[in-house]
Structures are given as C-alpha cells and as structure tokens.
Amino acid sequence: MPSLLILVPLIGLVALNLPNKDIMRKLAFWFALGLFITQILLAIQHHPVFWNYQLEKMDSFFRVNFSVDHLSFIMLLCIGIVSTASLLVARHTIHDEKERFKLINLLIIASIGMSGTVMTSDIFSMYIFLEITAIASFILIAFEKNIYALEGAFKYLMLSATATIMILTSIAILILAAGSTSFSDISQAVRSPGNNIVVVAIGLFLCGLMIKGGVVPFHAWVPDAYSAAPASVSVLLAGIVTKVAGIYTLIRTITAIFGLDGATRSALLMLGAISILVGAFAALGQKNMKRMLAYSSISQIGYIIIGFGTGTFLGIAGAVFHLFNHSMFKALLFVNASAVESRLGTMDMDKMGGLSAKMPVTGATSVIGMLSAAGIPPLSGFWSKLMIIVALWRSGDHAYSIIAILAGVVTLAYLLIMQRKAFFGKDNESVSEAGLGIKTASVMLAGVLVGIGISFPFIFNRFLAPLREIIHR
Amino acid sequence: MSGESWQSFLTFGFFIVLTFVCGAYCLLVTRNMIRAIIGLELLIKAVTLLIIVVGHVTGRVALTQALVITIIVIEVVVTVIAGGIALRVFRHNNSLYIGDLNKLKG
C-alpha cells in the first residue's frame, strides 16, 4: 500500500481547503504533523503487511508503479523527520495564521513530491514527482515576497527549468532506445552495446540531476536560495529537498539504470572532490550564517558524491548514511539559525555574540550539530565519514581520501568560526530563548544524531547492510 | 526504422533543432526576465516536439501522448510561477532588467 503515502495527503489537502476555513486552519498543523509522524513510524518499522499488500483497485487507478526497497525506507524516514522539524519551526516563526496555513499546504505538497520520487520505479513518474517538489519549492522560497526572496526563487526556477529540459531530452532519447520508461527496460537497452546516442542521454540526465542537487559546477543557486528563503523553508530545502531531487535520484538512476562504469566513476570522484574543496573554502569567508551553512551543504554533498563514486558496497552505504546524517545535522543547524533569526532579526555573524548564555538549548544543540558535521566521534557524522574514507582508501583512490580527510579540518574550522562568533564570547544583547516548537525540533534532531552515533552497529545491520541489494541487481 | 518514418523524423528534426536553437539563443542573449521565460518556453516546446516524434517513430504513441500532456500541464504551472515572480520584481524595481537581481552576494 505505498500509494497511500501519496493518496492520503492528497485527499487531506483537498479536505483542508474546503470552504469552512476557520476550523481547517487550526487543524492543518495537526494533520500535517500526524502525516509526517506516521511516515516516520512506517519507515522505521518497515512492516511487510503495509508495504507489500496490494490494493488492486487503487493501484490500477493510480497507474504508477511504486516499488519500495531499503534505500527508499531511509529516504522516507529522512523526509518525515526533516518535514516535522520544518513544520515545528513554521509554527513559531510565522505568526499570521493565514500565511502559516498556506505554508503548511505547500509543505504537504513538497512532501508528497519527495515521497513519490523515492518510491517510484519509472523514469517518467520520477520526473513528475521531481517537478511537484520543485514547483512547491519555488513558491516556498518566494514566500515572503521581498526582493531577496524573489531573486532567490527566480534563480532557482531558471536553473531548475534548465535541468528539467535536460532530463526530458534524455528521457526522449531513452524512450527511443528502449521503447518504455520503466527502470528495468531502460537498463537492458542501455547496457546492450552499440548504442552511442544513449551516452548523450546519460550525460544530460546526470547533468540535470547535478544542477538540482547543487554539485559544484552547477552550485550557483544554492546559497542564494537557502539564504533568501524563510526560516522553516531553508530547513526543508537544505535538509531534504536538494538531497532527494539531486542526490537520491543520482544514486538511484546510476545503480538501477545506467550502471557505474569507469568513466562515470572518475567523473563522480572528481566532481565530488571539487565540491568538497570549493564548498569548504567558500564557507570560510562568509559573514551571513545561512550562506555559510549553504556552502557547507555543498561541501558535504561532495562527500556523498565521492563516497558513491567508489562503487563499492562500503562506499555506497557510507554515501547513503552520510546523506541521512547530513540531512539531520544540516536541518539542526538551520533550525538553530532560524532560532537566532527569530530573536535577533539578523543573520550577520558580526552582530551576534554570547548567545549561548541566553539561549542554552540552541547553543548546546548547535554544538552537537557542529561536532557531528565535522566528524567527531561518537556522533553519527563520524561513522559515515569514516566509511567513505575507508572505502576510498580500499578502492585505491588514495589522493581522494586524503582530500576528504584534509577538508574535514576545514569543515571544523569554519564551523568553529560560526560557533565562536555567534554563540560563545561576551554577550551584549538581551535576548531570550527561542519558542517551544523550535526547541522541540532542535532537541529531536540532536537526539537523532547522538542516538545513531551510539547505536551505530545496530543501525548498520538493520538499515545499511540491506543496501547490498541495490548494487547487485 | 522504415523509410517513411525516417523521412518524417528528419522533417521534424529540422524544426526541433530550429526551435531549440531559437530558445537557447534567446536565453543566452536577453537581459529581460519575460524574454528569458519565453526562451525557456521555446526550449520546452522543442523537447515536447521531440517526444512526440519519438512516439511516432517507435510506435509507442499512447505512452508519449500521456507524457506530452503531463509535460504541458507542468510547464504551464512553472511559467505562471515565473511570470508571477517577474510581476512582483517589476512592481518592486520598476524594471525587468536581470542585472538588477544582484542583491544576494557572497
């Protein structure tokens, strides 16, 4: 019944927008919270009764082939947790009830799009769900309608539309080669030799996905969109939207369709290494907290790409695990940025200082997020970076593993700069702790980071070891 | 591929390339937001035409028709949002010049 994860929010969305809006505005938050928490529980449990049971009437009505494997479970879990955090932040940063209602609607649409993207096994449905996510994100970035938000949204829209054109051209060529849009049919056609035009299709498709994911040569929109968006939206965007739209789809299409041959592999390793370095060094010079976190996001995405580029089980499991961890700690750092923004009204780090004394929860969770991002044991970020570096070393790419280790030092450097400027030092302002929702979100995300770091062997056996199935297909 | 379908493929191919080049040129040269959106539209039109031709050549007409209708719907939504953003920017800046969109730096 995976189609219920799309259908229930869709029906709920229609019901919420029925004429009697006063009650619905109050209900919307709880409805969305219920949806996201149900999704988290279903993804943790992965009970076969729910996931494998076929509802014949509904599935034939839907005409979309959903197939859920362990990679999808991890992504669904991620989507649920980050959407919950974003929802909690929205409740305490947007005070007008009408505006909040609009934002919650768009949030549900974005989560439908993302859940669909990670469950589908058909290249065209994947495109449709990607576009649903992208359209919801355009409106969400431009939500505050000031000139900064409009600029960020316009840049994202133009680049995302360009990516869409590349993906569609590639889909057209793949239909020409395979005569179908399902992953398995295209995979057979692609792997049969003597099909030179397919190489063009693969290149275009991967370029399109990298634009959406913000990998380095295509990263120009990332800092603008993240820093212009309202607080709760930058949590969602940085936490999960770019990962699902760019990185998950990259992993899925390469493992299920195109195959990781030598050329793709070296291209991924090189782009990953460039992303790590450019993102880390650009983050060092930032004054705006959200822009610094955005560049840090580019750098961490480089780690995911480089880990995936090894092509071994350890590397791919490390990449997926780092994708999950990165969602968690980047969402946490953005939640804390929004807590600071809601109290100070600025993101300029030179104007902050000593916030830790006045905002103890925000300060403490920010330290956890920062240490996890820098890869300090026993937090979860350490394990995923370790897996990626060991995989790189074992597959013989010693230079890349050294780049990955050294960039970890730079990561620690810029995060320490942020921490020192914003949270430590002497305070000169009278601020109070952020609202309850923001505190709940940051404590929840910090708890996930610490919990996963400590119970890593259990997590590895239950969630990461089954990922073997996506490589040996 | 039979001779007839190859012939139609070439005819359509000429117009696909023409539309694509027009759109790409428009997107690269213009400094006006509305014209940039029109350039994007032309590119999507070229790709839509390509998918129709691919359906004709491979004989999977039903599949590609469904795809084309979906693409048209999504494309309209994207264009409306882009137009809305352009309208807001015009009200704010009193111009549609893309060079004015340079407030976010760093």
Side-chain angles (χ1 to χ4, degrees):
Chain A
M1 294 187 279
S3 56
L4 281 184
L5 277 186
I6 310 292
L7 219 51
V8 172
L10 210 56
I11 294 168
L13 210 57
V14 175
L16 283 177
N17 285 285
L18 288 178
N20 196 355
K21 278 199 174 170
D22 289 340
I23 309 166
M24 293 308 177
R25 282 201 190 115
K26 293 197 169 54
L27 274 178
F29 173 78
W30 299 106
F31 173 69
L33 192 66
L35 275 180
F36 297 147
I37 289 177
T38 319
Q39 181 164 336
I40 295 173
L41 293 179
L42 285 172
I44 290 180
Q45 218 2 281
H46 43 84
H47 200 286
V49 171
F50 178 79
W51 294 103
N52 297 335
Y53 187 76
Q54 297 289 325
L55 291 174
E56 271 146 28
K57 270 198 178 160
M58 201 180 292
D59 289 347
S60 65
F61 165 76
F62 229 178
R63 300 285 174 93
V64 176
N65 296 323
F66 286 121
S67 75
V68 181
D69 59 8
H70 281 86
L71 182 55
S72 313
F73 283 131
I74 295 176
M75 295 311 296
L76 285 170
L77 183 61
C78 238
I79 293 167
I81 297 175
V82 178
S83 305
T84 313
S86 170
L87 191 68
L88 288 169
V89 172
R91 189 172 166 81
H92 286 265
T93 49
I94 297 172
H95 301 292
D96 184 8
E97 199 171 46
K98 269 188 190 170
E99 295 291 307
R100 193 163 70 220
F101 180 66
K102 283 184 204 159
L103 190 131
I104 290 172
N105 275 323
L106 287 165
L107 206 63
I108 296 175
I109 296 177
S111 93
I112 292 175
M114 288 186 286
S115 307
T117 310
V118 301
M119 291 193 301
T120 178
S121 63
D122 173 301
I123 203 163
F124 196 74
S125 319
M126 184 184 252
Y127 155 75
I128 294 171
F129 285 118
L130 273 181
E131 282 302 292
I132 292 172
T133 320
I135 286 167
S137 337
F138 302 151
I139 311 176
L140 282 170
I141 294 170
F143 197 75
E144 286 176 338
K145 295 181 197 138
N146 55 32
I147 190 71
Y148 304 105
L150 293 171
E151 185 187 334
F154 193 73
K155 282 178 181 166
Y156 181 36
L157 192 148
M158 292 313 272
L159 278 171
S160 176
T162 315
T164 302
I165 290 162
M166 288 179 172
I167 291 173
L168 277 177
T169 314
S170 165
I171 289 177
I173 298 171
L174 290 175
I175 294 175
L176 190 65
S180 157
T181 56
S182 80
F183 284 174
S184 49
D185 291 352
I186 296 176
S187 164
Q188 279 173 0
V190 165
R191 287 173 197 193
S192 64
N195 241 337
N196 286 331
I197 195 157
V198 167
V199 178
V200 179
I202 296 174
L204 280 172
F205 204 97
L206 297 185
C207 273
L209 295 181
M210 282 177 189
I211 292 179
K212 286 193 180 260
V215 181
V216 148
F218 319 106
H219 67 290
W221 64 271
V222 174
D224 291 350
Y226 286 10
S227 60
S232 57
V233 177
S234 38
V235 173
L236 189 78
L237 269 182
I240 189 79
V241 169
T242 47
K243 268 108 216 152
V244 168
I247 310 306
Y248 163 81
T249 44
L250 194 79
I251 294 178
R252 175 65 86 198
T253 46
I254 287 182
T255 50
I257 305 177
F258 303 138
L260 196 61
D261 56 6
T264 324
R265 194 172 163 272
S266 53
L268 285 175
L269 285 174
M270 198 179 69
L271 288 175
I274 295 174
S275 286
I276 291 176
L277 293 174
V278 170
F281 283 109
L284 269 178
Q286 298 300 317
K287 285 198 168 64
N288 182 312
M289 198 169 176
K290 274 188 178 175
R291 283 190 90 82
M292 175 181 272
L293 292 176
Y295 278 112
S296 151
S297 214
I298 295 171
S299 164
Q300 301 299 324
I301 279 177
Y303 276 100
I304 300 170
I305 299 282
I306 211 173
F308 178 58
T310 59
T312 57
F313 163 69
L314 192 65
I316 292 178
V320 174
F321 191 34
H322 198 63
L323 203 166
F324 179 83
N325 288 336
H326 178 226
S327 288
M328 294 303 127
F329 61 66
K330 200 43 60 76
L332 172 60
L333 291 172
F334 268 101
V335 167
N336 288 338
S338 69
V340 173
E341 194 181 25
S342 72
R343 287 299 178 240
L344 289 183
T346 177
M347 279 281 100
D348 190 345
M349 286 192 288
D350 290 340
K351 291 177 185 158
M352 300 173 190
L355 294 175
S356 225
K358 297 287 166 58
M359 307 171 91
V361 177
T362 309
T365 50
S366 176
V367 170
I368 294 176
M370 178 207 106
L371 292 177
S372 183
I376 306 292
L379 294 162
S380 62
F382 166 73
W383 298 107
S384 52
K385 275 192 184 173
L386 186 71
M387 281 165 80
I388 289 172
I389 289 166
V390 169
L392 279 169
W393 191 266
R394 268 202 208 158
S395 67
D397 305 295
H398 301 299
Y400 288 119
S401 67
I402 289 167
I403 289 178
I405 294 169
L406 292 181
V409 181
V410 185
T411 312
L412 190 60
Y414 64 72
L415 287 168
L416 273 176
I417 291 175
M418 182 196 91
Q419 200 70 19
R420 192 177 60 82
K421 279 187 177 171
F423 292 104
F424 301 154
K426 262 180 73 172
D427 62 319
N428 45 12
E429 304 202 39
S430 53
V431 288
S432 56
E433 179 59 279
L436 179 68
I438 298 181
K439 271 194 287 188
T440 319
S442 40
V443 169
M444 175 182 82
L445 291 167
V448 170
L449 287 175
V450 176
I452 288 182
I454 291 170
S455 58
F456 174 68
F458 170 75
I459 299 286
F460 186 86
N461 287 334
R462 181 154 170 81
F463 289 97
L464 297 177
L467 285 176
R468 255 175 230 284
E469 72 181 22
I470 71 165
I471 313 171
H472 307 291
R473 212 191 281 264
Chain B
M1 211 182 284
S2 69
E4 192 194 344
S5 69
W6 181 242
Q7 191 64 40
S8 66
F9 187 76
L10 283 183
T11 320
F12 275 106
F14 174 71
F15 283 103
I16 292 167
V17 172
L18 190 69
T19 322
F20 198 89
V21 169
C22 285
Y25 181 75
C26 178
L27 207 54
L28 288 176
V29 168
T30 186
R31 286 285 171 271
N32 180 305
M33 286 174 81
I34 297 288
R35 287 193 191 145
I37 296 168
I38 292 173
L40 217 53
E41 279 293 285
L42 280 174
L43 287 175
I44 297 181
K45 290 293 183 297
V47 177
T48 316
L49 200 54
L50 177 65
I51 290 184
I52 294 173
V53 177
V54 164
H56 178 67
V57 169
T58 55
R60 303 294 304 263
V61 182
L63 174 74
T64 50
Q65 273 178 359
L67 307 193
V68 164
I69 290 169
T70 324
I71 291 171
I72 291 172
V73 172
I74 291 175
E75 172 212 335
V76 167
V77 178
V78 171
T79 315
V80 167
I81 294 170
I85 292 174
L87 183 66
R88 277 276 173 179
V89 170
F90 181 73
R91 284 193 186 146
H92 199 280
N93 280 351
N94 237 345
S95 86
L96 286 169
Y97 180 57
I98 285 184
D100 288 341
L101 290 178
N102 57 359
K103 306 287 189 300
L104 297 168
K105 279 183 192 153

